[in-house]
Amino acid sequence: MSTSPLTALRALPLDVLRRRHSTKWRAYPDDVIPMFVAETDFPLAEPITGVLTDAIAIGDTGYTPPDPGLRDAYAAFASRRFGWDIDPARIRSTADVMMGVVELLRATISPGDRVVIAPPVYPPFAICIPEAGGVVEEVPLVDTGAAWQLDLLGIEAALAGGARAVLLCNPHNPTGTVHSRESLAALADLAAGFGAVVISDEIHAPLVQPGIGYTPFLAASTTAAEVGYAVTSASKAYNLAGLKCALMITASDRTTAVLRGLSPEVEWRTGLFGALAGVAAFSPESDPWLDAQLVTLDENGHLLGDLLAEHLPLARYRKPDAGYLAWIDLSAYGWGDDPARHILAGARVALHHGPEFGTQGSGHVRLNFGCSPELLSEAVTRIGSLVGR
Ligand SMILES: Cc1ncc(COP(=O)(O)O)c(C=O)c1O
């Protein structure tokens, strides 16, 4: 087991990053600083590099076996990191989180059923619900001025009006909100009361900052375990999105029967490299790397606040409790509904477009700070230079 000390993680140099083939580095020309899509600029955790290098050396590029060790690895990770005990037999894999969400929705709703989402939220939520035959019903997050919260009264009204499912983002993208155990348990009670299900996307869970206190939805209460499905992956926390592997998790006999009823094809689509990398990521040997990344992200989240105060003092930003995505309100600058367009054109920084997260995203941008402090400073300085121009 690695004995690396807990230190911050350093991003790879820009010239190395520009050799990457992923969307983040190929979508725009080289004069643009890419801070839009959720990929990070850090070197991979060593256990992951090791397992993938070994696999390439022996041409181990075939199909994923029925149990590559992922379920046990994730159950051990969840117990170690979240204090959550899950039965590995109640887990199945698939290619990615959104595929898991679509397949679980298909299995739990009927065509035309309404599914609640809480915008501003990860844009593919509004795409995958129709893909599964559902209809999106928006119950926006409530901004208290100090935090974002689920609108439980609004969700109750939606369920009372016939919505059959809630697609939860826990932690929430783009605000980085970690929902409280109480609100999750209350959501579970509402779902149970109206015979609905909750599908909880927990892809950002390994990136909750220490001391915040994270509750996986299925662990919120015995009712949550009855009504909920969780979908997660190592892909955000360990930057493995291209390897195609995610986990669907249940915690009751009824939901496990639904999970087991999914077509074998759903599991067959799991990428072998994703499974191998996922086992390595969730192993205790990768914990020092994850802890170091959390330190770096905490520092970057604070640095972003300082940079905004200096260069864009009218920006509204709250440091996220989880992850590397910052939700920033730039409406005071009068850069229109979609400031990311103005910023790309004038500052050559690519941010995620706020309005894609819902109408609440008007005047907002989402910025990915999973990068070096130098690049973050350069980006915010460039954006700041647009002020008054
Ligand atoms: C909340 C959320 N869910 C899902 C995904 C995508 O995951 P996958 O590539 O496994 O579908 C992302 C990617 O950023 C995300 O933020």
Side-chain angles (χ1 to χ4, degrees):
M1 189 166 150
S2 167
T3 53
S4 319
L6 183 66
T7 53
L9 209 59
R10 288 187 67 80
L12 291 164
L14 198 52
D15 60 324
V16 174
L17 292 167
R18 292 221 183 271
R19 282 171 30 218
R20 284 185 173 176
H21 296 85
S22 60
T23 294
K24 182 173 187 181
W25 295 98
R26 294 297 163 116
Y28 294 99
D30 277 3
D31 65 324
V32 171
I33 300 179
M35 296 192 151
F36 63 110
V37 73
E39 298 177 20
T40 51
D41 297 353
F42 307 115
L44 293 179
E46 262 176 42
I48 298 175
T49 313
V51 81
L52 293 177
T53 307
D54 287 352
I56 287 172
I58 60 168
D60 192 7
T61 48
Y63 291 112
T64 307
D67 183 9
L70 256 181
R71 299 179 209 153
D72 285 342
Y74 188 74
F77 178 88
S79 171
R80 207 168 65 242
R81 305 284 303 191
F82 310 141
W84 177 31
D85 291 322
I86 11 176
D87 177 355
R90 297 187 190 272
I91 301 177
R92 288 186 76 186
S93 68
T94 189
D96 57 41
V97 165
M98 295 322 295
M99 184 175 284
V101 167
V102 169
E103 295 303 335
L104 287 169
L105 279 174
R106 276 200 184 115
T108 53
I109 64 168
S110 302
D113 279 351
R114 276 175 286 123
V115 178
V116 174
I117 61 171
V121 73
Y122 181 58
F125 275 25
I127 298 169
C128 77
I129 290 169
E131 188 182 337
V135 175
V136 172
E137 177 153 5
E138 294 192 0
V139 181
L141 285 184
V142 177
D143 184 352
T144 66
W148 287 277
Q149 293 173 354
L150 293 172
D151 177 358
L152 290 167
L153 285 176
I155 294 174
E156 180 172 16
L159 295 173
R164 305 300 302 148
V166 178
L167 178 50
L168 177 72
C169 200
N170 177 41
H172 194 93
N173 171 1
T175 59
T177 306
V178 174
H179 299 296
S180 68
R181 179 182 297 272
E182 293 69 33
S183 63
L184 297 176
L187 174 64
D189 288 344
L190 290 176
F194 290 103
V197 300
V198 175
I199 298 178
S200 183
D201 175 339
E202 309 201 333
I203 196 169
H204 294 278
L207 293 171
V208 175
Q209 284 295 336
I212 298 294
Y214 171 67
T215 306
F217 179 74
L218 300 185
S221 66
T222 48
T223 306
E226 290 292 326
V227 299
Y229 299 82
V231 191
T232 193
S233 169
S235 66
K236 290 300 110 179
Y238 302 87
N239 202 37
L240 304 173
L243 301 188
K244 293 293 165 194
C245 176
L247 296 170
M248 300 170 288
I249 305 166
T250 51
S252 73
D253 290 345
R254 194 178 55 82
T255 50
T256 303
V258 172
L259 183 68
R260 292 193 178 136
L262 298 181
S263 160
E265 282 302 313
V266 173
E267 194 155 351
W268 196 240
R269 292 172 194 142
T270 310
L272 178 58
F273 276 17
L276 295 175
V279 172
F282 293 132
S283 74
E285 286 73 20
S286 290
D287 283 358
W289 182 95
L290 181 59
D291 290 331
Q293 181 179 216
L294 288 168
V295 171
T296 297
L297 296 180
D298 189 47
E299 289 172 358
N300 282 359
H302 283 294
L303 173 64
L304 177 59
D306 294 343
L307 290 165
L308 291 171
E310 183 182 347
H311 299 281
L312 291 157
L314 301 181
R316 291 179 59 220
Y317 157 74
R318 287 197 289 263
K319 184 176 168 290
D321 288 335
Y324 43 80
L325 305 171
W327 186 236
I328 308 172
D329 180 356
L330 294 175
S331 44
Y333 287 101
W335 293 339
D337 185 41
D338 186 4
R341 287 172 62 175
H342 179 68
I343 290 168
L344 178 62
R348 308 303 281 156
V349 177
L351 303 176
H352 211 314
H353 303 276
E356 291 186 7
F357 293 78
T359 53
Q360 303 74 14
S362 175
H364 288 65
V365 294
R366 194 194 73 179
L367 180 151
N368 175 348
F369 59 77
C371 61
S372 70
E374 293 79 16
L375 205 59
L376 184 57
S377 302
E378 166 73 13
V380 179
T381 307
R382 281 195 198 184
I383 301 168
S385 72
L386 295 177
V387 176
R389 243 211 258 164

PDB file of all heavy atoms in Angstrom, residues 38 96-98 122 125 169 173 201 203-204 233 235-236 241 244 325, ligand 1:
ATOM      1  N   ALA A  38     -16.158  18.590 -17.980  1.00  0.00           N
ATOM      2  CA  ALA A  38     -15.677  18.105 -16.679  1.00  0.00           C
ATOM      3  C   ALA A  38     -14.585  17.047 -16.847  1.00  0.00           C
ATOM      4  O   ALA A  38     -14.791  15.858 -16.588  1.00  0.00           O
ATOM      5  CB  ALA A  38     -16.847  17.572 -15.861  1.00  0.00           C
ATOM      6  N   ASP A  96     -21.733   4.033 -18.862  1.00  0.00           N
ATOM      7  CA  ASP A  96     -21.531   5.341 -18.241  1.00  0.00           C
ATOM      8  C   ASP A  96     -22.766   5.697 -17.414  1.00  0.00           C
ATOM      9  O   ASP A  96     -23.792   5.006 -17.473  1.00  0.00           O
ATOM     10  CB  ASP A  96     -21.167   6.426 -19.267  1.00  0.00           C
ATOM     11  CG  ASP A  96     -22.178   6.591 -20.374  1.00  0.00           C
ATOM     12  OD1 ASP A  96     -23.390   6.542 -20.072  1.00  0.00           O
ATOM     13  OD2 ASP A  96     -21.778   6.773 -21.540  1.00  0.00           O
ATOM     14  N   VAL A  97     -22.619   6.760 -16.655  1.00  0.00           N
ATOM     15  CA  VAL A  97     -23.685   7.113 -15.710  1.00  0.00           C
ATOM     16  C   VAL A  97     -24.981   7.444 -16.436  1.00  0.00           C
ATOM     17  O   VAL A  97     -26.064   7.011 -16.029  1.00  0.00           O
ATOM     18  CB  VAL A  97     -23.221   8.275 -14.801  1.00  0.00           C
ATOM     19  CG1 VAL A  97     -24.396   8.920 -14.075  1.00  0.00           C
ATOM     20  CG2 VAL A  97     -22.204   7.762 -13.787  1.00  0.00           C
ATOM     21  N   MET A  98     -24.878   8.209 -17.524  1.00  0.00           N
ATOM     22  CA  MET A  98     -26.124   8.592 -18.186  1.00  0.00           C
ATOM     23  C   MET A  98     -26.826   7.390 -18.805  1.00  0.00           C
ATOM     24  O   MET A  98     -28.056   7.336 -18.853  1.00  0.00           O
ATOM     25  CB  MET A  98     -25.874   9.699 -19.220  1.00  0.00           C
ATOM     26  CG  MET A  98     -25.405  11.022 -18.607  1.00  0.00           C
ATOM     27  SD  MET A  98     -26.178  11.475 -17.023  1.00  0.00           S
ATOM     28  CE  MET A  98     -27.868  11.721 -17.500  1.00  0.00           C
ATOM     29  N   TYR A 122     -27.076  19.561 -14.502  1.00  0.00           N
ATOM     30  CA  TYR A 122     -26.299  18.952 -15.586  1.00  0.00           C
ATOM     31  C   TYR A 122     -27.173  18.770 -16.846  1.00  0.00           C
ATOM     32  O   TYR A 122     -28.167  18.033 -16.816  1.00  0.00           O
ATOM     33  CB  TYR A 122     -25.779  17.609 -15.070  1.00  0.00           C
ATOM     34  CG  TYR A 122     -24.936  16.818 -16.008  1.00  0.00           C
ATOM     35  CD1 TYR A 122     -23.765  17.349 -16.545  1.00  0.00           C
ATOM     36  CD2 TYR A 122     -25.285  15.511 -16.346  1.00  0.00           C
ATOM     37  CE1 TYR A 122     -22.978  16.599 -17.412  1.00  0.00           C
ATOM     38  CE2 TYR A 122     -24.503  14.751 -17.193  1.00  0.00           C
ATOM     39  CZ  TYR A 122     -23.348  15.305 -17.730  1.00  0.00           C
ATOM     40  OH  TYR A 122     -22.577  14.563 -18.581  1.00  0.00           O
ATOM     41  N   PHE A 125     -29.405  15.708 -18.220  1.00  0.00           N
ATOM     42  CA  PHE A 125     -30.589  15.207 -17.514  1.00  0.00           C
ATOM     43  C   PHE A 125     -31.843  15.452 -18.363  1.00  0.00           C
ATOM     44  O   PHE A 125     -32.719  14.601 -18.452  1.00  0.00           O
ATOM     45  CB  PHE A 125     -30.766  15.916 -16.164  1.00  0.00           C
ATOM     46  CG  PHE A 125     -29.977  15.313 -15.016  1.00  0.00           C
ATOM     47  CD1 PHE A 125     -28.826  14.580 -15.250  1.00  0.00           C
ATOM     48  CD2 PHE A 125     -30.393  15.481 -13.702  1.00  0.00           C
ATOM     49  CE1 PHE A 125     -28.098  14.026 -14.193  1.00  0.00           C
ATOM     50  CE2 PHE A 125     -29.678  14.936 -12.642  1.00  0.00           C
ATOM     51  CZ  PHE A 125     -28.536  14.212 -12.883  1.00  0.00           C
ATOM     52  N   CYS A 169     -29.361  14.865  -8.318  1.00  0.00           N
ATOM     53  CA  CYS A 169     -27.929  14.998  -8.548  1.00  0.00           C
ATOM     54  C   CYS A 169     -27.293  15.236  -7.181  1.00  0.00           C
ATOM     55  O   CYS A 169     -27.466  16.303  -6.594  1.00  0.00           O
ATOM     56  CB  CYS A 169     -27.676  16.178  -9.493  1.00  0.00           C
ATOM     57  SG  CYS A 169     -26.082  16.134 -10.302  1.00  0.00           S
ATOM     58  N   ASN A 173     -24.489  19.042  -9.638  1.00  0.00           N
ATOM     59  CA  ASN A 173     -23.756  19.755 -10.697  1.00  0.00           C
ATOM     60  C   ASN A 173     -24.764  20.697 -11.350  1.00  0.00           C
ATOM     61  O   ASN A 173     -25.810  20.229 -11.786  1.00  0.00           O
ATOM     62  CB  ASN A 173     -23.237  18.717 -11.705  1.00  0.00           C
ATOM     63  CG  ASN A 173     -22.642  19.332 -12.957  1.00  0.00           C
ATOM     64  OD1 ASN A 173     -22.586  20.540 -13.105  1.00  0.00           O
ATOM     65  ND2 ASN A 173     -22.219  18.471 -13.874  1.00  0.00           N
ATOM     66  N   ASP A 201     -27.884  10.399  -9.086  1.00  0.00           N
ATOM     67  CA  ASP A 201     -26.605  10.443  -9.797  1.00  0.00           C
ATOM     68  C   ASP A 201     -25.544  10.900  -8.796  1.00  0.00           C
ATOM     69  O   ASP A 201     -25.545  12.051  -8.354  1.00  0.00           O
ATOM     70  CB  ASP A 201     -26.750  11.428 -10.967  1.00  0.00           C
ATOM     71  CG  ASP A 201     -25.446  11.663 -11.730  1.00  0.00           C
ATOM     72  OD1 ASP A 201     -24.372  11.420 -11.169  1.00  0.00           O
ATOM     73  OD2 ASP A 201     -25.530  12.132 -12.878  1.00  0.00           O
ATOM     74  N   ILE A 203     -22.083  10.709  -9.146  1.00  0.00           N
ATOM     75  CA  ILE A 203     -20.785  10.645  -9.815  1.00  0.00           C
ATOM     76  C   ILE A 203     -19.752  11.553  -9.151  1.00  0.00           C
ATOM     77  O   ILE A 203     -18.558  11.266  -9.183  1.00  0.00           O
ATOM     78  CB  ILE A 203     -20.954  10.978 -11.324  1.00  0.00           C
ATOM     79  CG1 ILE A 203     -19.734  10.548 -12.133  1.00  0.00           C
ATOM     80  CG2 ILE A 203     -21.244  12.440 -11.550  1.00  0.00           C
ATOM     81  CD1 ILE A 203     -19.942  10.595 -13.646  1.00  0.00           C
ATOM     82  N   HIS A 204     -20.190  12.666  -8.524  1.00  0.00           N
ATOM     83  CA  HIS A 204     -19.230  13.592  -7.904  1.00  0.00           C
ATOM     84  C   HIS A 204     -18.970  13.262  -6.423  1.00  0.00           C
ATOM     85  O   HIS A 204     -18.229  13.986  -5.758  1.00  0.00           O
ATOM     86  CB  HIS A 204     -19.719  15.043  -8.042  1.00  0.00           C
ATOM     87  CG  HIS A 204     -19.762  15.522  -9.467  1.00  0.00           C
ATOM     88  ND1 HIS A 204     -18.651  15.979 -10.126  1.00  0.00           N
ATOM     89  CD2 HIS A 204     -20.771  15.582 -10.364  1.00  0.00           C
ATOM     90  CE1 HIS A 204     -18.973  16.314 -11.370  1.00  0.00           C
ATOM     91  NE2 HIS A 204     -20.262  16.082 -11.542  1.00  0.00           N
ATOM     92  N   SER A 233     -19.687   6.408 -10.680  1.00  0.00           N
ATOM     93  CA  SER A 233     -18.562   6.021 -11.521  1.00  0.00           C
ATOM     94  C   SER A 233     -17.285   6.624 -10.943  1.00  0.00           C
ATOM     95  O   SER A 233     -17.339   7.616 -10.210  1.00  0.00           O
ATOM     96  CB  SER A 233     -18.787   6.575 -12.940  1.00  0.00           C
ATOM     97  OG  SER A 233     -17.630   6.440 -13.717  1.00  0.00           O
ATOM     98  N   SER A 235     -15.359   8.009 -12.945  1.00  0.00           N
ATOM     99  CA  SER A 235     -14.925   8.806 -14.096  1.00  0.00           C
ATOM    100  C   SER A 235     -14.671  10.279 -13.787  1.00  0.00           C
ATOM    101  O   SER A 235     -13.757  10.863 -14.354  1.00  0.00           O
ATOM    102  CB  SER A 235     -15.912   8.663 -15.257  1.00  0.00           C
ATOM    103  OG  SER A 235     -17.150   9.219 -14.930  1.00  0.00           O
ATOM    104  N   LYS A 236     -15.448  10.908 -12.903  1.00  0.00           N
ATOM    105  CA  LYS A 236     -15.199  12.337 -12.607  1.00  0.00           C
ATOM    106  C   LYS A 236     -14.025  12.489 -11.643  1.00  0.00           C
ATOM    107  O   LYS A 236     -13.141  13.313 -11.858  1.00  0.00           O
ATOM    108  CB  LYS A 236     -16.432  13.008 -11.989  1.00  0.00           C
ATOM    109  CG  LYS A 236     -17.600  13.197 -12.899  1.00  0.00           C
ATOM    110  CD  LYS A 236     -17.319  14.052 -14.102  1.00  0.00           C
ATOM    111  CE  LYS A 236     -17.333  13.186 -15.330  1.00  0.00           C
ATOM    112  NZ  LYS A 236     -17.103  13.872 -16.583  1.00  0.00           N
ATOM    113  N   ALA A 241     -13.381   9.409 -17.907  1.00  0.00           N
ATOM    114  CA  ALA A 241     -14.646   9.401 -18.658  1.00  0.00           C
ATOM    115  C   ALA A 241     -14.553   8.627 -19.973  1.00  0.00           C
ATOM    116  O   ALA A 241     -15.514   8.001 -20.406  1.00  0.00           O
ATOM    117  CB  ALA A 241     -15.109  10.833 -18.909  1.00  0.00           C
ATOM    118  N   LYS A 244     -15.364   4.433 -20.096  1.00  0.00           N
ATOM    119  CA  LYS A 244     -16.718   3.866 -20.153  1.00  0.00           C
ATOM    120  C   LYS A 244     -17.006   2.748 -19.147  1.00  0.00           C
ATOM    121  O   LYS A 244     -17.000   1.549 -19.473  1.00  0.00           O
ATOM    122  CB  LYS A 244     -17.009   3.382 -21.588  1.00  0.00           C
ATOM    123  CG  LYS A 244     -17.084   4.515 -22.576  1.00  0.00           C
ATOM    124  CD  LYS A 244     -18.282   5.398 -22.300  1.00  0.00           C
ATOM    125  CE  LYS A 244     -18.235   6.726 -22.989  1.00  0.00           C
ATOM    126  NZ  LYS A 244     -19.216   7.680 -22.470  1.00  0.00           N
ATOM    127  N   LEU A 325     -16.267  22.096 -10.146  1.00  0.00           N
ATOM    128  CA  LEU A 325     -17.078  22.921 -11.031  1.00  0.00           C
ATOM    129  C   LEU A 325     -17.632  24.106 -10.253  1.00  0.00           C
ATOM    130  O   LEU A 325     -18.210  23.922  -9.179  1.00  0.00           O
ATOM    131  CB  LEU A 325     -18.216  22.078 -11.622  1.00  0.00           C
ATOM    132  CG  LEU A 325     -17.739  20.804 -12.341  1.00  0.00           C
ATOM    133  CD1 LEU A 325     -18.918  19.918 -12.704  1.00  0.00           C
ATOM    134  CD2 LEU A 325     -16.906  21.146 -13.575  1.00  0.00           C
TER     135      LEU A 325
HETATM  136  C1  LIG B   1     -23.759  14.919 -12.647  1.00  0.00           C
HETATM  137  C2  LIG B   1     -23.124  14.205 -13.793  1.00  0.00           C
HETATM  138  N1  LIG B   1     -23.629  13.041 -14.210  1.00  0.00           N
HETATM  139  C3  LIG B   1     -23.103  12.369 -15.238  1.00  0.00           C
HETATM  140  C4  LIG B   1     -21.999  12.845 -15.893  1.00  0.00           C
HETATM  141  C5  LIG B   1     -21.468  12.086 -17.074  1.00  0.00           C
HETATM  142  O1  LIG B   1     -21.075  10.845 -16.662  1.00  0.00           O
HETATM  143  P1  LIG B   1     -20.876   9.692 -17.725  1.00  0.00           P
HETATM  144  O2  LIG B   1     -19.836  10.165 -18.684  1.00  0.00           O
HETATM  145  O3  LIG B   1     -20.437   8.532 -16.891  1.00  0.00           O
HETATM  146  O4  LIG B   1     -22.216   9.488 -18.349  1.00  0.00           O
HETATM  147  C6  LIG B   1     -21.419  14.046 -15.500  1.00  0.00           C
HETATM  148  C7  LIG B   1     -20.264  14.581 -16.219  1.00  0.00           C
HETATM  149  O5  LIG B   1     -19.773  15.646 -15.969  1.00  0.00           O
HETATM  150  C8  LIG B   1     -21.989  14.734 -14.414  1.00  0.00           C
HETATM  151  O6  LIG B   1     -21.481  15.886 -13.978  1.00  0.00           O
END
